[in-house]
């Protein structure tokens, strides 16, 4: 499967402008045979807490309708982040939409308290997986990367875990280190797609990448647009699903002691 990471500089809270830019990169990627095009967290708004402006109703899902149109037009599955209105608080969602209309819809498990996301968003409670082009694909969003337990659970079914983010440059070493670690410890492919450039006084260095189950950073083909900031780019890489073979050769997963971990956790809670 050929996958593209759309490392965009996001126009702040401007859905139309971001959708237009995303389509330019999508078209160029599709011409190179891309089958899965991924955008960062909150793809069309940036990491905004102005939920009254960014949220979308449960029934209309405007962003998903627009992305479905693009997926059909370019014959490419697309991953997009958006804000779902669920009442008093919202949910930070990421959806992968296939040209055939199948949708993986994931809600971020861990709102980012440090940036006051917990005041506007509630955490999700499920780990969906989508079968596409020979891969079982799961999602974790940005801050979720710091919590290893859901990755272990997800990797029992998933071969590829997508991590869309708005991860600031000030903590870029954490981002790169954790992406690599999650790939190694779960023996899965991990694709991290971050935003780029400066937004609302915060600088994002991008540092998107795809890591193999042994932690190797895979080589990518780059697409750049004239006039874009230095960090903005789309990266394209072709993946072969060899996860099962890798796990057979180096069976780390077989040595996990899930019952013991639960026992130790329970004992700790009882102290």
């Amino acid at each position: 499967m050929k996958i593209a990471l759309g490392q965009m500089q996001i126009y702040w809270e401007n859905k139309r402008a971001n959708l237009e830019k995303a389509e330019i990169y999508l078209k160029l990627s599709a011409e190179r045979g891309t089958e899965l095009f991924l955008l960062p967290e909150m793809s069309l708004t940036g990491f905004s807490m102005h939920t009254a402006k960014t949220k979308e109703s449960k029934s209309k899902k405007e962003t998903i309708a627009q992305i479905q149109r693009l997926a059909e037009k370019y014959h490419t599955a697309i991953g997009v982040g958006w804000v779902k209105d669920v009442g008093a608080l919202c949910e930070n969602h990421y959806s992968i939409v296939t040209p055939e209309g199948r949708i993986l819809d994931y809600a971020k498990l861990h709102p980012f308290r440090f940036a006051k996301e917990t005041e506007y968003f509630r955490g999700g409670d499920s780990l969906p997986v989508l079968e596409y082009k020979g891969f079982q694909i799961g999602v974790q969003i940005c801050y979720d990367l710091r919590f290893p337990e859901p990755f272990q659970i997800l990797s029992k079914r998933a071969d590829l875990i997508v991590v869309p983010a708005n991860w600031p440059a000030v903590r870029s070493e954490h981002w790169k280190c954790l992406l690599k670690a999650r790939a190694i410890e779960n023996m899965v492919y991990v694709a991290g797609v971050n935003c780029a450039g400066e937004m609302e006084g915060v600088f994002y260095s991008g540092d998107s990448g795809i890591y193999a189950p042994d932690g190797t950073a895979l080589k990518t083909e780059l697409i750049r647009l004239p006039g874009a900031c230095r960090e903005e780019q789309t990266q394209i890489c072709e993946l072969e699903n060899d996860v099962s073979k890798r796990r057979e050769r180096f069976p780390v997963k077989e040595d996990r002691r899930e019952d013991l971990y639960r026992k130790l956790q329970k004992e700790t809670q009882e102290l």
Side-chain angles (χ1 to χ4, degrees), residues 24 40 63 68 72 77 125 162 180 192 194 257 267:
I24 295 172
T63 293
Q68 180 65 66
E72 293 173 2
D125 58 8
V162 175
K180 184 173 184 177
N194 196 17
R257 300 179 65 186
E267 289 176 355

Side-chain angles (χ1 to χ4, degrees), residues 23 26 30 32 59 68-70 73 76 89 101 108 115 133 147 153 157 206 211-212 222 234-235 247 256 264 266:
E23 184 172 2
L26 175 59
R32 291 163 171 78
S59 57
Q68 180 65 66
R69 174 183 61 81
L70 293 178
K73 180 178 180 181
T76 304
L89 296 175
K108 186 177 185 179
K133 299 295 180 180
F147 301 89
I153 297 168
R157 295 180 294 150
Y211 294 83
L222 300 184
T234 288
Q235 302 178 27
R247 289 180 176 180
R256 287 186 56 80
L264 295 173
K266 182 178 180 182

